[in-house]
Amino acid sequence: MRVAILTDIHANREAFEACLADAARRGAQRLVLLGDIVGYGADPVWAVQRTRELAEGGAVVIKGNHDEAAVADRGGMTSDAGAAAAWTREVLDADAKRYLDLLPMEVEEEDRLYVHADAQHPTRWRYTRDAEDARAALDAVRARVVLCGHVHVPALYGLTAAAKIVAHRPVAEVAVPLTRPRRWLAVVGAVGQPRDGNPAAAYAMLDADANTLTNIRVPYDIETAAQKIRAVGLPDALAARLSRGR
């Protein structure tokens, strides 16, 4: 079973379509979307519609903080993110908002836990930025493998049987064995707004049979995505950062 893990799509149609096509070419048999379907980008209506279609086909979909912000303004966002959230609330209809509002915060499947942000407190939207954050998350759950997003920078942490936490730096196209008895937490890179200096869209492929995780980067039409952001009047910084990957 090959499972494509996509997160932080952020209404970036060009990046989302590119990653879905790439996952299909690689033989993905299941899709998991770890949240933030909307926010920042110019295609929230399409993104919600496409996500619903994928869910009807069996995809797992998790709620992200930008999905929550598209339903109601709870504050706590940067000015650019808040502006994008306010615009998204205007363009989504009640049915789309209801769909986002009812998404689960986490889903367990076999020995895996899917969550958008911190597995220890999913509703607080905390970031898993380092090894100690990863340890706290793994200590709080039973799953052997936790997969999350929210950070926009790929990362991988392994907790050994001796309770030592080890950070790994994912390299694109290199399959990492998720060996036992070690437990693992993977932060999957962003589809729609990478922030690791590489502007290519990011997702991960989990091979449940081989027990490996591969970080994947996919080039996409950044200029079109950026032009759309500017065309709808969203902050220019949201468009400019796409080409920088920051």
Side-chain angles (χ1 to χ4, degrees):
M1 174 68 74
R2 294 174 65 78
V3 184
I5 314 290
L6 296 83
T7 188
D8 296 285
I9 293 150
H10 287 302
N12 185 333
R13 178 172 183 165
E14 288 69 32
F16 195 16
E17 288 185 327
C19 287
L20 290 174
D22 187 81
R25 284 193 298 269
R26 293 173 187 260
Q29 298 157 287
R30 187 161 176 72
L31 293 173
V32 175
L33 310 184
L34 299 180
D36 277 2
I37 308 303
V38 299
Y40 296 133
D43 282 301
V45 174
W46 177 87
V48 174
Q49 179 181 353
R50 185 70 179 107
T51 296
R52 295 180 77 162
E53 294 169 354
L54 295 171
E56 289 168 3
V60 173
V61 185
I62 305 295
K63 182 191 288 188
N65 58 305
H66 285 260
D67 305 322
E68 181 183 75
V71 177
D73 182 7
R74 306 192 189 284
M77 288 187 154
T78 66
S79 59
D80 287 348
W87 176 80
T88 300
R89 286 193 296 273
E90 291 180 1
V91 300
L92 290 182
D93 64 20
D95 186 53
K97 291 178 183 178
R98 188 178 308 109
Y99 175 76
L100 294 177
D101 193 36
L102 294 176
L103 289 174
M105 295 297 301
E106 57 186 1
V107 169
E108 282 197 67
E109 184 175 67
E110 298 180 6
D111 63 349
R112 304 183 293 276
L113 175 68
Y114 306 129
V115 63
H116 178 67
D118 169 35
Q120 185 178 16
H121 300 293
T123 61
R124 297 183 185 179
W125 308 121
R126 292 177 175 173
Y127 294 90
T128 302
R129 296 188 184 276
D130 56 32
E132 289 312 308
D133 289 342
R135 180 197 295 275
L138 287 168
D139 285 347
V141 302
R142 296 175 299 174
R144 190 181 72 86
V145 179
V146 174
L147 295 126
C148 67
H150 196 42
V151 182
H152 295 221
V153 177
L156 182 63
Y157 305 95
L159 184 64
T160 70
K164 180 180 179 182
I165 191 81
V166 180
H168 302 262
R169 189 173 192 177
V171 176
E173 304 297 340
V174 176
V176 179
L178 303 180
T179 54
R180 300 173 185 268
R182 183 173 293 194
R183 298 173 66 214
W184 298 87
L185 185 147
V187 180
V188 180
V191 169
Q193 197 183 89
R195 294 180 185 168
D196 62 347
N198 181 350
Y203 77 100
M205 186 74 78
L206 174 73
D207 189 322
D209 297 325
N211 199 28
T212 62
L213 186 71
T214 304
N215 182 54
I216 297 168
R217 304 309 289 255
V218 184
Y220 74 96
D221 187 352
I222 292 173
E223 185 56 36
T224 293
Q227 286 176 355
K228 287 181 176 181
I229 290 172
R230 295 185 175 104
V232 298
L234 290 172
D236 186 75
L238 299 179
R241 75 186 309 171
L242 294 181
S243 60
R244 300 194 305 267
R246 292 286 185 193

